[in-house]
Amino acid sequence: MSEASQDEPQPTASRRAATGGRFGASIRNSGYLRKWFLLGAAIGVIAGLGAVVFYLALKYTGEFLLGYLAGYHIPTPVGEGGSHGSAGFERPWAIPLVTTAGALLSALIVARFAPEATGHGTDEAVEAVHSDPRAIRGRVVLVKMVASALTIGSGGSAGREGPTAQISAGFSSLLTRRLDLSDEDGRIAVALGIGAGIGAIFAAPLGGAVLAASIAYRDDFDYRSLIPGFITSGMAYAVLGSIVGFDPLFGYIDAEYRFERAWPLLWFVVIGLVAAAVGYLYARIFHASVAITQRLRGGLVLKPALGGLLVGLLGLLMPQVLSSGYGWAQLAADRGSLMTIPLWLVVVLPIAKIVATSVSIGTGGSGGLFGPGIVIGAFVGAAIWRLGELSGLPGVPDAPGIFVVVGMMTCFGSVSRAPLAIMVMVAEMTGSFSVVPGAILAVGIASLLMSRTNVTIYEAQRLNRETAAAERARRVTGPDLGERA
């Protein structure tokens, strides 16, 4: 029996009518429109508020741990002030101490209060969609928020979307229990929570809605979650924007770019091929680090602390790997800023960020994988632009912005197996829908290549709706002796 089942006993038939009171009965008996308008609005409000709370917690934690204690201020994207950060380390010796202490404290909190909050969190939410939409404990939400703020705020290489996804997915799980929703409605509600949480923290509502319909499967799309997702993500965006603003995270990168000839699109073929290879490495290295960590001794506290130390040491050599790195992705999109970064560093940074993220989260740290994937893709695009300009080959744009944006879309879009959702989301984050003609070429090539493998960054994804339904049927009729597709 799951921990959620122990904490929240399942309603019996005699208690069903009383579950959730009149509101619960009203929701269960409602038609499609009323049910998903009410549930979608409730999930959206919580997703928006959760994103705001976590954004502020992360902001102030980072300013205190890295800024005040370590004397280092990381660059920020345009949507968060657009600062270039510190020119160098004021107290270099403090960087590994802060990253280690942050990871240690985060691990202590997770081990003590909610061990299932370890790692990036999205897999746990996706697993709830497939296995038991009632299974996410309420305490996981708070623990994940605090632990992730400590991990990322102290310099750990992780993204902020995992915690926000778990906040809204956890609320959806609570609604499923309290209102005694059917398993089918519960699965849709948790999927909506994942999409709304991620869409909210990145101020990308359309991408969040599409993500809700695609995140649970490697090669499928659940249309039942799409329309309710519009309500949920739109509400989350309205709540977040009314408090912290509606500007795109990265401002407007090459928003006026226009394709005037066809043959420069060949550069996007190159981006697709390279980004697919880097995305493949991202997933394989991350999962390998998780497997290695599980075989090592040290427990739930020592391993993440060691990961924090390693990231701090790597950060002394390459500050770009510290924390989420969105500010560095912003700088990579600007020609003047990018040209100040040594070429070798631009080329090496995607791999360095993969290693840093694998060490931070793969060892048990708390934080998401989406954000680092965006930064990795940004520097894939920046590296191709720098090398292309250096080679003197025709078709390279004057500024790196379009390559950086398409790199973001392609690298993580392919390895997350949600290419359409990530493409839309990055377009919203950068205000760059004009890049779509090149993006669909690069993302399409990378996704086709990735589909020939069994690799995905989210291991809880099922192949498609048919295999997921068959798995649930086996679970109901008897022991599941088969393996997950």
Side-chain angles (χ1 to χ4, degrees):
M1 181 180 293
S2 68
E3 291 175 303
S5 299
Q6 294 172 353
D7 291 350
E8 303 285 346
Q10 298 298 313
T12 62
S14 62
R15 295 171 54 207
R16 183 180 178 87
T19 303
R22 292 183 177 179
F23 181 70
S26 174
I27 290 295
R28 291 193 299 272
N29 297 325
S30 293
Y32 178 88
L33 178 62
R34 184 172 185 270
K35 176 192 297 182
W36 288 113
F37 181 81
L38 292 175
L39 289 177
I43 295 169
V45 169
I46 296 300
L49 290 175
V52 170
V53 171
F54 183 65
Y55 168 80
L56 294 176
L58 184 57
K59 179 177 184 291
Y60 293 119
T61 302
E63 288 178 356
F64 177 74
L65 294 178
L66 275 180
Y68 178 74
L69 295 182
Y72 177 66
H73 298 275
I74 62 174
T76 57
V78 168
E80 298 175 4
S83 73
H84 283 224
S86 302
F89 293 119
E90 183 178 327
R91 293 185 287 276
W93 53 268
I95 296 297
L97 293 181
V98 168
T99 57
T100 304
L104 177 63
L105 184 55
S106 172
L108 284 170
I109 292 172
V110 169
R112 173 65 179 83
F113 296 105
E116 66 267 42
T118 188
H120 59 90
T122 306
D123 261 343
E124 287 70 21
V126 172
E127 185 61 40
V129 172
H130 293 300
S131 298
D132 184 1
R134 299 172 175 82
I136 303 176
R137 293 195 297 168
R139 71 170 64 178
V140 173
V141 171
L142 181 59
V143 170
K144 189 70 178 178
M145 183 184 298
V146 174
S148 298
L150 288 169
T151 298
I152 304 170
S154 64
S157 179
R160 57 197 186 192
E161 78 293 335
T164 53
Q166 256 189 332
I167 291 169
S168 45
F171 177 70
S172 300
S173 186
L174 175 65
L175 282 181
T176 303
R177 294 195 299 270
R178 294 299 189 187
L179 303 181
D180 192 29
L181 300 179
S182 67
D183 286 349
E184 194 65 27
D185 286 344
R187 281 191 285 272
I188 294 175
V190 174
L192 293 179
I194 297 172
I198 296 177
I201 198 66
F202 288 126
L206 179 56
V210 179
L211 189 68
S214 55
I215 188 67
Y217 306 100
R218 294 202 300 270
D219 297 325
D220 208 345
F221 193 88
D222 191 349
Y223 294 94
R224 296 168 301 176
S225 300
L226 183 61
I227 303 302
F230 292 155
I231 303 297
T232 305
S233 293
M235 189 68 71
Y237 177 67
V239 171
L240 177 96
S242 64
I243 298 174
V244 302
F246 291 96
D247 290 335
L249 179 63
F250 295 104
Y252 296 89
I253 300 176
D254 276 357
E256 302 301 322
Y257 184 89
R258 295 291 181 270
F259 289 94
E260 298 177 348
R261 290 169 292 178
W263 64 266
L265 287 168
L266 292 174
W267 280 106
F268 297 93
V269 175
V270 175
I271 294 176
L273 294 172
V274 176
V278 174
Y280 180 86
L281 285 176
Y282 184 23
R284 294 303 297 267
I285 292 174
F286 174 75
H287 294 315
S289 71
V290 173
I292 293 171
T293 299
Q294 290 174 345
R295 292 197 295 266
L296 295 176
R297 297 179 180 179
L300 295 176
V301 175
L302 182 58
K303 295 175 188 177
L306 178 59
L309 174 61
L310 294 176
V311 169
L313 294 175
L314 180 59
L316 291 176
L317 299 175
M318 300 180 184
Q320 293 84 357
V321 305
L322 293 174
S323 197
S324 58
Y326 302 132
W328 287 109
Q330 181 82 68
L331 294 176
D334 177 73
R335 180 187 178 98
S337 300
L338 180 60
M339 296 302 288
T340 64
I341 305 175
L343 177 59
W344 72 268
L345 186 56
V346 175
V347 173
V348 170
L349 265 174
I351 304 302
K353 188 66 174 176
I354 289 173
V355 172
T357 305
S358 299
V359 170
S360 289
I361 309 305
T363 56
S366 189
L369 297 174
F370 184 120
I374 293 297
V375 177
I376 291 164
F379 276 96
V380 167
I384 292 173
W385 182 85
R386 285 284 299 269
L387 293 173
E389 188 187 55
L390 187 65
S391 69
L393 293 173
V396 179
D398 294 333
I402 186 171
F403 278 22
V404 168
V405 171
V406 174
M408 292 180 184
M409 296 174 173
T410 308
C411 187
F412 196 74
S414 61
V415 75
S416 67
R417 308 301 282 267
L420 178 60
I422 304 304
M423 184 165 60
V424 173
M425 192 170 290
V426 171
E428 292 179 286
M429 292 161 62
T430 59
S432 302
F433 281 95
S434 62
V435 309
V436 166
I440 58 176
L441 188 59
V443 173
I445 290 172
S447 298
L448 283 173
L449 291 173
M450 199 68 69
S451 69
R452 304 305 299 169
T453 74
N454 199 35
V455 171
T456 172
I457 199 73
Y458 298 129
E459 290 194 311
Q461 288 175 327
R462 302 319 196 246
L463 180 62
N464 52 42
R465 285 175 291 172
E466 286 73 20
T467 56
E471 179 184 310
R472 290 194 295 271
R474 289 195 299 270
R475 191 180 302 118
V476 170
T477 58
D480 184 2
L481 301 178
E483 294 183 353
R484 183 184 304 167

